[in-house]
């Protein structure tokens, strides 16, 4: 897949493989006996009100977790809460898992149906933050951000993933409805739909300006979309919202359209499954479905030392348990055979410069990596632009010494964030 353009010292180029021709039919995963809701709040948080074991919940029922309503979760199924336990995220961050034993008969909650009668940003923020696609409503409530543009990403950020492309090609009516709702509730008229360059046509009067994303990786990552599609460069350490732009993915917008159309919150998440043999397909699973149920449904087995990854091959993160659930932003599930896991080493940097040539953010990675290896994270920020990295993974991919640069970068950012949070909250 990696090809040198024009040979010699040219920058290596990897292309996305677009989803073209006949669309695959997603495999529908049956509602599992247990679903897990993961909450990014520790269960011993002082002001938390957590659901109790034995409580029954309806599909779509809002579970308020903090007294003032700031943190909530929506039950993706009808059933009984069977456990509330601490949950370790893939970087070690502590959250809470609420396990629900699902009932055979669905009992839908009607709170959102009432709110959906009159679309408003407040009701969207109050009920729809966990929709498939994970819409970033929170940013509209941030007084420090002044959002004037919405970008809908209809391309998949990582290689081999086809989730957003499939949504753009198969749910264009729902996307159009979602765009109309977003315009109405935010008052923002400036909406752009970014789609892969190969997936042209058929958008009709969708209510957004349609622009095209190049096939070269990492053109579909948010930083590159802003640069190539809107001509805006996100400064180091900032996000699109700091430039007044809010990025939704196509699935989130389609989910918003469906939610307001039906008066019901959708819970089926679409994801691409990439198997050990390299074959891939789409599945539709209830949010909260454990990874093991998906693997079983698609006939994939995981052996000792195989790697299970949420996300694609360049930016995905490996998970430590097959009980890990599908979350609103889980776009892909990838299984790597133990024999094809890329080799990493602690061999030193040989200053070959391959990473420098490939980095879209122009970071002096050969220097940065020395500080990361030594755990000197603040120096990595101050001297070598750590925060300019927007996490495409190309540096690790090309590193001659097989240094896990990308993992070092993520760890450094996580640690710096953890230290900063601890200082602010005094915990
Ligand atoms: S992951 Fe590596 S190549 Fe990509 S932006 Fe960050 S430092 Fe550059
Ligand atoms: S590609 Fe690896 S070995 Fe080469 S300069 Fe970059 S970090 Fe060093």
């Amino acid at each position: 897949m990696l090809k040198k353009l024009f040979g010699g010292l040219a920058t290596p180029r990897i292309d996305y493989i677009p989803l073209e021709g006949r669309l695959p039919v997603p495999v529908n995963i049956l509602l599992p006996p247990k679903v897990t809701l993961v909450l990014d709040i520790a269960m011993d948080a002082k002001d938390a009100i957590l659901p109790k074991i034995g409580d029954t919940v309806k599909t779509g029922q809002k579970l308020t977790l903090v007294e003032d309503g700031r943190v909530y979760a929506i039950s993706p199924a009808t059933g009984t809460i069977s456990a509330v336990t601490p949950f370790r995220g893939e970087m070690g961050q502590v959250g809470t898992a609420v396990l629900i034993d699902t009932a055979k008969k669905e009992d839908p909650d009607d709170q959102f149906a009432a709110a959906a009668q009159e679309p408003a940003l407040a009701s969207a923020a109050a009920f729809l933050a966990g929709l498939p696609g994970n819409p970033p409503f929170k940013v509209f409530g941030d007084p420090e951000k002044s959002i004037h543009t919405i970008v809908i990403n209809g391309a998949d950020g990582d290689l081999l993933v086809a989730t957003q492309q499939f949504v753009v090609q198969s749910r264009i009516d729902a996307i159009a409805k979602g765009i109309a709702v977003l315009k109405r509730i935010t008052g923002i008229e400036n909406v752009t739909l970014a789609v892969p360059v190969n997936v042209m046509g058929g958008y009709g009067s969708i209510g957004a300006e349609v622009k095209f994303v190049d096939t070269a990786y990492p053109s579909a990552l948010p930083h590159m979309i802003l640069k190539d599609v809107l001509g805006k460069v996100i400064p180091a350490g900032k996000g699109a919202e700091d430039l007044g732009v809010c990025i939704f993915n196509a699935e989130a917008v389609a989910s918003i359209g469906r939610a307001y159309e039906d008066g019901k919150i959708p819970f089926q998440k679409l994801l691409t499954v990439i198997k050990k043999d390299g074959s891939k397909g789409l599945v539709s699973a209830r949010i909260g479905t454990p990874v093991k149920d998906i693997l079983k449904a698609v006939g994939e087995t995981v052996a000792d030392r195989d790697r299970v990854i949420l996300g694609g091959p360049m930016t995905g993160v490996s998970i430590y348990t097959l009980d890990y659930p599908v979350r609103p932003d889980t776009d892909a599930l990838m299984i790597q055979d133990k024999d094809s896991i890329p080799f990493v080493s602690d061999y030193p940097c040989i200053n070959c410069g391959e990473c420098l040539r490939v980095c879209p953010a122009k970071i002096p990675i050969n220097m940065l990596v020395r500080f990361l290896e030594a755990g000197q994270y603040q120096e990595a920020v101050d001297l070598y632009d750590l925060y300019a990295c927007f996490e495409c993974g190309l540096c690790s991919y090309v590193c001659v010494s097989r240094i896990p640069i990308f993992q070092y970068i993520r760890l450094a950012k996580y640690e710096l964030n953890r230290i900063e949070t601890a200082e602010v909250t005094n915990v």
Side-chain angles (χ1 to χ4, degrees), residues 359-361 363 365 389-395 406 409:
C359 176
I363 295 170
I365 303 164
C389 166
F390 57 84
E391 303 188 14
C392 70
L394 276 172
C395 48
F406 183 40
I409 289 173

Side-chain angles (χ1 to χ4, degrees), residues 65-76:
L65 303 170
V66 173
E67 204 147 7
D68 64 7
R70 271 180 300 118
V71 184
Y72 71 86
I74 303 283
S75 176

